[in-house]
Amino acid sequence: MNHSHHLNNSDQKTDALRETQFLARTQRVVAKLKPSPRTLNQILEHTFVTTVPEARLTGEDIAQGTASSPLSSLFAMLSISKPLAFAVFGAVLVLGAAVVMFPDRSSRAPIPVASSDPETSTFREMPTGVTSDGADSADTPGTDAASPTRPVDSNAASATIALITDDLDSFDNDDGYDDSLLSEDEVDSLLITLDSDVDENSL
Amino acid sequence: MNATEVQTLAKAAQAGDRAAFEALYTGLFTPVYRYVRSQIRHHETAEDIVQTVFSKLFLKLQNPLPLPQSLRAYVYTMARNAIADFYRRPADLLPVDGTVEEIYADTAVTDSPIRASEAADDADHLIALLETLEPLEREVTGLRFFSDLPHRLIAETLGKSEANVRQIQSRALKKLRRLAPQYFI
């Protein structure tokens, strides 16, 4: 018992001696370890820039203890002002509504109609908006046939021109202009003009 | 800076006293840096880690919740966690300062008393020497000899008993004495 107690005391003394020696020897080296001076402001700047994004966005708000809204944070993150963000949002909304209310008719599938030439094919495609009898089914007649982006069928164009001519024949407005006064040449030149318009547009 | 001073300053900082936080920062930055440096050889990385610790401490003191019993132990625990996070990074992101063997071979010359004495004055040599210890031994040695913390506080920081800390330190010193007797003259 006394022997083990003596050994423990001896170990403790040795440990204490080692500790003192090592501490004394390393103190001088450790004292050389000095961090480069960083001011508190640098630390706080680092804190707000890297740790708290809201504080970077609205530092004054945080300082006053008022929390900013998530939407404001989003605008600030995107670096855009509130009025501009609302204007863009409004424009997108109006465009979306316009697309829903006036769908693009070009997206409709073409209407298969019987071919005039039974040897070539059973069906052929008519231009969009023109029905099988050659009449334009759209509210604004002729716009589709004249569209430069769509292929123009010569038969359909002729049918349209024929309809316009019929309209001209029956046209009698209040300004005293009588279409019956048009000579055959004048009507022909008018048809040529319309025809050439159609051709130009088809290019 | 003793434990009572640290607690008093922390309470004042929590109440919004910026000067108190500044005093806390000034008093703790260097010892915490020395501890971090004992675990990480790269000087700039060690500084960045200490900066992160104080950033977290600042945010902690913005919270009105009760402070930890020992804020000093709490700060060292934060530093310890930050070091662990650092070593969890992919190897290619860790700074390269040469291997322990390279530094140790360059400075530890035991057959020449003069050079051995010079090496003992070299911080890089001392830090490289600590890298030969087990992780826990290295932590205890860093906290005790680099930050000059008492055993009770080290025990609190590491979540161990004071007797256990003394045992770990004794084991570490025995190893160091064998490797570098010039430190035990």
Side-chain angles (χ1 to χ4, degrees), chain A residues 39-188:
Chain A
T39 64
L40 181 62
N41 282 339
Q42 279 176 301
I43 299 278
L44 298 183
E45 198 176 299
H46 168 84
T47 307
F48 284 119
V49 170
T50 60
T51 321
V52 193
E54 291 84 357
R56 179 187 55 196
L57 302 170
T58 55
E60 286 181 12
D61 288 349
I62 294 292
Q64 290 165 8
T66 56
S68 59
S69 72
L71 201 60
S72 303
S73 303
L74 179 68
F75 293 153
M77 270 198 306
L78 296 172
S79 300
I80 53 174
S81 63
K82 255 187 208 177
L84 179 63
F86 280 118
V88 171
F89 179 69
V92 170
L93 205 65
V94 169
L95 279 173
V99 167
V100 171
M101 289 172 69
F102 308 106
D104 186 4
R105 284 182 288 112
S106 65
S107 61
R108 285 188 294 183
I111 304 160
V113 292
S115 171
S116 57
D117 184 2
E119 286 178 15
T120 52
S121 67
T122 311
F123 292 99
R124 66 186 169 84
E125 284 188 1
M126 288 291 286
T128 310
V130 178
T131 57
S132 58
D133 59 358
D136 197 331
S137 63
D139 293 336
T140 49
T143 50
D144 281 344
S147 168
T149 58
R150 292 173 194 153
V152 177
D153 187 294
S154 57
N155 291 334
S158 302
T160 309
I161 290 162
L163 280 173
I164 294 166
T165 314
D166 289 346
D167 284 346
L168 282 173
D169 287 342
S170 61
F171 183 72
D172 192 6
N173 54 16
D174 293 338
D175 59 6
Y177 183 79
D178 188 355
D179 59 87
S180 64
L181 293 176
L182 290 170
S183 65
E184 274 186 24
D185 289 338
E186 285 171 331
V187 171
D188 285 345

Side-chain angles (χ1 to χ4, degrees), chain B residues 18-168:
Chain B
R18 189 176 157 142
F21 184 78
E22 201 159 351
L24 204 60
Y25 163 77
T26 311
L28 288 178
F29 195 91
T30 303
V32 173
Y33 163 79
R34 285 179 181 158
Y35 161 63
V36 175
R37 192 80 163 80
S38 72
Q39 312 296 305
I40 292 172
R41 256 186 289 145
H42 197 254
H43 163 68
E44 280 84 10
T45 309
E47 280 192 338
D48 288 345
I49 285 175
V50 183
Q51 183 161 321
T52 309
V53 168
F54 278 91
S55 297
K56 285 182 180 171
L57 179 65
F58 180 79
L59 292 174
K60 167 84 181 164
L61 294 177
Q62 303 300 302
N63 198 323
L65 290 172
L67 289 173
Q69 287 256 314
S70 166
L71 194 86
R72 208 148 60 126
Y74 181 81
V75 170
Y76 280 100
T77 306
M78 282 200 296
R80 195 172 168 238
N81 292 338
I83 292 165
D85 286 344
F86 169 75
Y87 280 117
R88 271 198 285 267
R89 291 162 70 182
D92 55 339
L93 293 178
L94 297 176
V96 181
D97 273 358
T99 63
V100 181
E101 290 75 21
E102 281 168 0
I103 292 177
Y104 195 68
D106 194 38
T107 50
V109 186
T110 47
D111 56 349
S112 162
I114 297 168
R115 286 216 46 198
S117 180
E118 282 171 0
D121 284 342
D122 184 50
D124 282 340
H125 174 260
L126 182 58
I127 295 164
L129 191 66
L130 294 190
E131 285 184 36
T132 60
L133 300 173
E134 292 295 315
L136 204 54
E137 292 169 352
R138 191 177 172 194
E139 280 185 312
V140 169
T141 312
L143 289 167
R144 179 77 190 97
F145 299 102
F146 281 66
S147 292
D148 201 19
L149 291 193
H151 290 110
R152 187 187 46 77
L153 203 58
I154 297 171
E156 208 174 323
T157 304
L158 300 179
K160 307 230 172 254
S161 70
E162 205 175 318
N164 197 352
V165 168
R166 284 183 190 278
Q167 266 184 345
I168 295 167

